[in-house]
Amino acid sequence: MKTHCRHLVVVLGDQLDRDATVFDGFDPTRDLVWMCEAVEESTHVWSSQQRIVMFLSAMRHFAAALEADGVPLHYETLREGSLADALREAIAQARPQRVRLTQPGDWRVLQALRQAAGTTPLDVLEDRHFLCSAARFAAHARGRRQLRMEYFYREMRREHGVLMDGDQPCGGAWNFDADNRASFGPNGPGFLPPPTRFDADVSTQAVIALVQARFAGHPGQAAPFGWPVTRAQALEALRAFVDERLEHFGQWQDAMWTGEPWLYHAHLSAALNLKLLNPREVIAAAEAAWRSGRVPLSSAEGFIRQILGWREYVRGIYWLRMPDCAEDNALAARHDLPAWYWNGDTPMRCLADAIDQTLRHGYAHHIQRLMVTGLYALLLGVRPQQVHAWYLSVYVDAVEWVELPNTLGMSQFADGGLLASKPYIATGRYIERMSDHCRTCRFDPGERVGERACPFTTLYWDFLLRHETRFASHPRLSAQVKHLARLDAAQRDAIRARARAVREGRFA
């Protein structure tokens, strides 16, 4: 390792970007890049094998690209212990004048590395990968009682000139949600373009073997693995999405179908979150596809809203509220996450399908996360921190800044309504409408009690009973609460009894 260097430049596993601020002014004669595969980053939550492969393979490919460009690099392959302990040792060996670090995406990591730096000056630099800085978002939030994504999104559209016609939104509307909620209908999706998957090269194969040996007890499977782990692959995946799937993404973005994990979705979030792609180029590609007449505005806008709207918004929420928001539990949920979330062994077809594909691929699209796995945990009353740990564990795109606000705020309403204006609750009828899962399921989404009652439907009514007082005057939920007035004491008791059986795993 180079000693007495000027800058020890720390590159974390989700910062694989040659345009990052830490490389500004980099001098290969005086500076040194440091990267480390620390076991703790795969064990502080029970990370799935697919997720571990994603991070380690992408890191190794990025390191190889740095070395090919002649960048001085000290790379530590998988080592026991924490990232902070490894950095402390690296500082002691390299004795740099300063340590430079792009702001991590995890508050825990930032605090640990600050402590590890000790008396060596540590420069935590702005992450310009994002279109909205934490300070810019804090200014947006100042004085607001509620932080609605829609208003933030409009500001971002105006500020960055995205899908704008002068000072007005293209098409005369800010969003086209009404056009983007279709189900596939009884005949299913029909022909689907194949997902963009990549063969594992020698480096990725070595990582897969390592993960299968070192993390054999972790959930899911390391292979097959087909995610992009280089910038070139990520750019190819972006091109394929825009050319082959974006046209139909808007209309079908909320639809589900058994055995079809990929559908018309982008599958770019992991590449974005590891910084293999820049959100500006992703947004520009989608807008250019609309302006050239290749895709409808509803599809381009719906996709761009996820990048320029939700992605930037939840990061702002995260850095505005950490660390307190990690303990949010506004609904006082106290139950444990069912053990079958880790293996998919449940008779509920929608959950079995979503969890099975999650463990095989490290992926599920946003409706499967919000309205299947997330909805069930919300209705069941699972402690939100356990739900958060599961999402952070199993998905290849899970980095805490994006995952935690989405899970605790959007999915579990644990923040009490700061992020989402209401709890996203529904009976099994929603899943029946948006998928084919109920066709082969033994439960009836129209029944709330009895052996054939859909657990989603039972738990929906139980949720309303448990929170009747809280939401009786809620502007967006009171209409649903009012339906409880039709239930007599015996019906209420029957719902509670069936819900209790479901919580105990007694589905029959």
Side-chain angles (χ1 to χ4, degrees):
M1 181 185 293
K2 180 188 294 186
T3 60
H4 296 92
C5 62
R6 180 184 65 156
H7 294 153
L8 184 67
V9 174
V10 176
V11 174
L12 302 178
D14 62 341
Q15 298 178 342
L16 310 181
D17 178 11
R18 284 299 303 270
D19 293 325
T21 49
V22 289
F23 290 107
D24 290 352
F26 185 87
D27 184 345
T29 66
R30 297 189 293 165
D31 300 331
L32 174 68
V33 174
W34 179 80
M35 298 177 69
C36 176
E37 304 170 0
V39 166
E40 185 186 61
E41 294 307 300
S42 298
T43 59
H44 80 280
V45 293
W46 198 29
S47 292
S48 72
Q49 295 184 41
Q50 194 85 183
R51 181 175 186 264
I52 300 170
V53 172
M54 178 77 199
F55 274 82
L56 297 189
S57 178
M59 288 174 68
R60 292 186 181 190
H61 281 88
F62 185 73
L66 290 179
E67 290 183 319
D69 288 344
V71 176
L73 169 70
H74 181 78
Y75 190 97
E76 298 193 39
T77 53
L78 196 64
R79 57 166 281 169
E80 298 298 325
S82 70
L83 192 64
D85 287 342
L87 178 60
R88 198 173 289 112
E89 291 180 17
I91 291 172
Q93 294 177 37
R95 288 178 283 176
Q97 297 174 25
R98 309 186 73 85
V99 176
R100 289 168 61 84
L101 169 71
T102 300
Q103 181 176 350
D106 187 318
W107 188 89
R108 168 191 60 88
V109 170
L110 176 58
Q111 307 315 308
L113 297 188
R114 276 177 168 160
Q115 187 175 31
T119 58
T120 304
L122 172 65
D123 301 325
V124 180
L125 306 175
E126 182 69 37
D127 191 345
R128 63 178 173 226
H129 168 87
F130 296 95
L131 286 85
C132 180
S133 69
R136 166 71 178 81
F137 187 86
H140 164 82
R142 195 169 297 121
R144 296 176 186 262
R145 294 177 59 189
Q146 294 179 319
L147 297 176
R148 294 290 173 258
M149 192 280 290
E150 180 65 26
Y151 303 114
F152 169 76
Y153 171 56
R154 294 179 186 185
E155 283 188 15
M156 291 294 99
R157 291 267 298 272
R158 293 188 183 100
E159 189 171 308
H160 295 281
V162 174
L163 290 179
M164 296 297 293
D165 184 5
D167 61 353
Q168 296 300 310
C170 292
W174 289 103
N175 73 66
F176 296 87
D177 274 351
D179 300 328
N180 292 342
R181 293 172 177 163
S183 63
F184 290 124
N187 296 322
F191 170 78
L192 289 168
T196 306
R197 307 286 283 170
F198 299 91
D199 293 334
D201 62 10
V202 172
S203 178
T204 299
Q205 289 174 13
V207 170
I208 290 171
L210 172 66
V211 170
Q212 289 172 330
R214 175 62 180 80
F215 301 100
H218 283 235
Q221 57 190 46
F225 180 90
W227 293 101
V229 292
T230 67
R231 174 153 172 78
Q233 289 177 343
L235 288 170
E236 183 178 342
L238 171 61
R239 179 204 55 75
F241 167 64
V242 171
D243 289 349
E244 300 168 10
R245 298 190 299 281
L246 178 58
E247 177 183 0
H248 300 292
F249 165 79
Q251 183 178 9
W252 309 119
Q253 65 177 295
D254 286 2
M256 299 174 283
W257 201 260
T258 301
E260 294 288 356
W262 311 112
L263 300 172
Y264 288 101
H265 291 269
H267 324 132
L268 298 174
S269 54
L272 274 163
N273 293 350
L274 269 60
K275 316 296 171 55
L276 299 176
L277 288 174
N278 188 294
R280 294 166 185 83
E281 65 192 343
V282 175
I283 292 166
E287 180 168 5
W290 168 68
R291 291 193 181 277
S292 66
R294 290 186 289 148
V295 305
L297 179 57
S298 58
S299 284
E301 187 280 319
F303 175 69
I304 287 171
R305 185 170 358 119
Q306 292 191 2
I307 309 298
L308 182 59
W310 270 113
R311 189 170 184 269
E312 299 286 334
Y313 170 72
V314 296
R315 179 176 182 264
I317 292 280
Y318 180 82
W319 287 109
L320 184 71
R321 299 197 60 233
M322 278 299 283
D324 295 341
C325 67
E327 298 304 317
D328 283 346
N329 191 359
L331 299 181
R334 58 183 178 82
H335 293 282
D336 289 331
L337 188 75
W340 45 259
Y341 264 70
W342 297 102
N343 56 34
D345 185 15
T346 172
M348 291 172 280
R349 296 310 309 147
C350 57
L351 280 159
D353 190 67
I355 293 172
D356 175 67
Q357 74 167 61
T358 292
L359 296 176
R360 281 189 292 115
H361 302 300
Y363 168 79
H365 71 68
H366 64 277
I367 291 298
Q368 291 174 305
R369 299 191 200 194
L370 178 64
M371 298 304 293
V372 180
T373 55
L375 172 61
Y376 192 80
L378 172 63
L379 297 177
L380 196 67
V382 175
R383 180 169 172 78
Q385 285 66 37
Q386 293 189 17
V387 187
H388 155 56
W390 185 77
Y391 279 103
L392 190 59
S393 298
V394 297
Y395 290 114
V396 296
D397 60 1
V399 180
E400 192 178 76
W401 64 263
V402 65
E403 179 277 324
L404 187 146
N406 266 311
T407 301
L408 268 66
M410 185 73 170
S411 174
Q412 301 301 297
F413 202 72
D415 64 3
L418 177 72
L419 190 150
S421 58
K422 72 177 184 68
Y424 279 84
I425 60 171
T427 69
R429 290 290 195 195
Y430 174 84
I431 295 169
E432 182 182 39
R433 184 170 71 253
M434 298 306 299
S435 76
D436 67 328
H437 296 313
C438 300
R439 292 184 190 179
T440 58
C441 188
R442 71 190 234 197
F443 300 112
D444 184 346
E447 298 290 333
R448 62 185 175 221
V449 296
E451 291 186 1
R452 295 194 66 246
C454 173
F456 280 89
T457 302
T458 299
L459 293 171
Y460 166 85
W461 287 100
D462 181 68
F463 180 95
L464 291 180
L465 288 171
R466 285 185 286 124
H467 301 292
E468 183 174 6
T469 301
R470 180 187 183 99
F471 294 117
S473 59
H474 189 280
R476 295 194 63 195
L477 211 61
S478 59
Q480 291 166 269
V481 175
K482 286 178 182 177
H483 291 307
L484 294 175
R486 301 181 311 195
L487 304 178
D488 60 27
Q491 290 172 314
R492 289 172 178 243
D493 288 345
I495 291 169
R496 292 188 179 103
R498 177 62 178 166
R500 191 160 50 249
V502 169
R503 287 194 180 90
E504 294 170 359
R506 295 184 285 112
F507 293 108

